[in-house]
Amino acid sequence: MRDAFGTTFDVDGVYLNTPSIGLPPQPVVAAVTEAVTAWGRAETSAPQFDAPVATARAAFAQLVGVPASSVVLGTAVSGLLGLVAASLPPGARVLTADREFTSVTFPFVSAGHEVVELPLDELPERTRAADVVAVSVVASADGAVVDLDALRAEVGPDTLVVLDATQSLGWLPADLSWADVVVAGGYKWLLSPRGAAWMALSDRLAERIAPVQSGWYAGGWDAIYGLPLRLHPDARRFDLSPVWLAQVGAAVALPWIASLDAEAVRDHSVGLANRVRVGLDLPPAESAIVSVRHPDAPDRLGRAGVRCAVRGGAARLGFHLHNTEDDADEVVAAVRGRSRD
């Protein structure tokens, strides 16, 4: 067990795979376990999940800096962005970053739009030639951070800005409220079960989107049978029916994360990542994700019991709330081929 940021994590060894699957704190595990147990005892009713859904939605809104009334409930980033892609005029020009995560790009390509990939550092200055800019705040492949200030300064008044905050929300404090879309999956840095995702919409974009995926949940308990169509008046009209158990976990994880000192979380995570960078003679950066391209790094880390992912031949390491200086030092020793004993 590890105590960190006022909670406990049940982790044994060096877990640095948060960019793939976040490690939930014990209160999240307990809440989901209790819900599963109640389900197995036939002690569950559908309306009792409305409260966790509302709690998680409000906490997501707090993290992004928007009202809860602008937040759409979904299950995955790609499905939520499919709504956005379907709302655009045919053949819209969409700018994105090289090697962008395909849950961001595929919905726009599948809808028939022109999607152009650019180097991340060139993206802000090219935005005025686009109908949409769709980019991750932090890149999944290597942890590169988009220059949000430059993007906001350069984007034209008619260009829609779509930000995927899946790899940033939970450790990177940033003002995202100005974007037209902020979307995130909950199962990585937000430490929730897979199956919970949210999307904040600007008013100008929400007016353009047709609720083509909406079912009964988009109208509420008074809209479960029969016509006419009747939907919530706010962003809930785009909701998908929730994955209940995922929302139970998210209702514990997101308010807790939102209650933390965001700067302290960033300093902790980035500080550990930079401890590794210094130890491996890499330049410092402002990301909690480290891409290690040293020879044999993935194999050496695997033999040392360090759990991480491999992206583009490099070991991808993500430092979050449960990680420690010992974890960072273990990475350096393993990649350097040294024992810490």
Side-chain angles (χ1 to χ4, degrees):
M1 293 285 185
R2 291 184 185 178
D3 294 327
F5 288 87
T7 194
T8 303
F9 295 87
D10 186 4
V11 56
D12 183 20
V14 182
Y15 186 81
L16 297 173
N17 203 23
T18 296
S20 296
I21 304 174
L23 179 69
Q26 283 300 289
V28 174
V29 176
V32 175
T33 300
E34 181 180 351
V36 171
T37 300
W39 173 36
R41 293 175 175 170
E43 297 172 353
T44 298
S45 65
Q48 77 186 58
F49 294 102
D50 288 348
V53 168
T55 297
R57 190 196 308 265
F60 180 83
Q62 181 181 350
L63 287 165
V64 175
V66 299
S69 60
S70 71
V71 175
V72 182
L73 172 66
T75 59
V77 165
S78 57
L80 290 168
L81 290 185
L83 275 175
V84 176
S87 74
L88 302 176
R93 181 176 173 83
V94 182
L95 297 189
T96 191
D98 287 336
R99 301 181 71 212
E100 179 57 79
F101 196 68
T102 52
S103 289
V104 176
T105 54
F106 278 10
F108 294 99
V109 176
S110 298
H113 302 305
E114 178 190 4
V115 180
V116 179
E117 297 174 296
L118 295 171
L120 185 63
D121 59 355
E122 294 182 15
L123 198 58
E125 65 189 46
R126 303 278 291 274
T127 57
R128 291 183 179 272
D131 299 302
V132 180
V133 177
V135 65
S136 293
V137 178
V138 174
S140 171
D142 58 11
V145 182
V146 69
D147 188 337
L148 290 171
D149 290 338
L151 180 60
R152 187 176 186 179
E154 294 291 341
V155 70
D158 298 324
T159 301
L160 298 174
V161 176
V162 176
L163 299 177
D164 179 1
T166 300
Q167 295 290 358
S168 66
L169 211 59
W171 71 266
L172 180 64
D175 178 14
L176 305 179
S177 62
W178 56 274
D180 292 286
V181 174
V182 181
V183 65
Y187 70 100
K188 299 178 186 287
W189 301 86
L190 293 177
L191 310 183
S192 301
R194 184 172 173 86
W198 304 267
M199 178 171 67
L201 289 177
S202 68
D203 290 341
R204 68 169 181 170
L205 180 56
E207 292 173 355
R208 296 168 49 173
I209 296 178
V212 294
Q213 297 184 111
S214 298
W216 75 269
Y217 201 81
W221 289 105
D222 293 330
I224 58 176
Y225 297 114
L227 295 174
L229 178 70
R230 50 211 187 272
L231 302 177
H232 289 296
D234 56 14
R236 290 177 298 167
R237 67 186 181 275
F238 305 115
D239 279 358
L240 295 181
S241 295
V243 177
W244 285 331
L245 297 176
Q247 291 292 322
V248 167
V252 178
L254 268 65
W256 169 66
I257 291 172
S259 75
L260 299 177
D261 182 331
E263 301 292 338
V265 171
R266 188 268 315 278
D267 291 348
H268 170 81
S269 300
V270 175
L272 292 176
N274 278 333
R275 188 179 180 95
V276 168
R277 292 184 180 103
V278 169
L280 297 179
D281 300 323
L282 301 173
E286 293 300 319
S287 180
I289 298 175
V290 184
S291 183
V292 179
R293 295 190 174 277
H294 283 237
D296 302 321
D299 290 339
R300 292 183 179 186
L301 290 167
R303 289 194 296 269
V306 176
R307 297 190 62 186
C308 61
V310 179
R311 295 292 185 268
R316 185 188 67 180
L317 317 173
F319 290 88
H320 204 14
L321 301 169
H322 68 277
N323 291 118
T324 65
E325 291 184 352
D326 282 346
D327 291 344
D329 294 344
E330 188 70 39
V331 168
V332 174
V335 174
R336 293 293 195 187
R338 302 193 301 262
S339 172
R340 296 189 66 225
D341 297 336

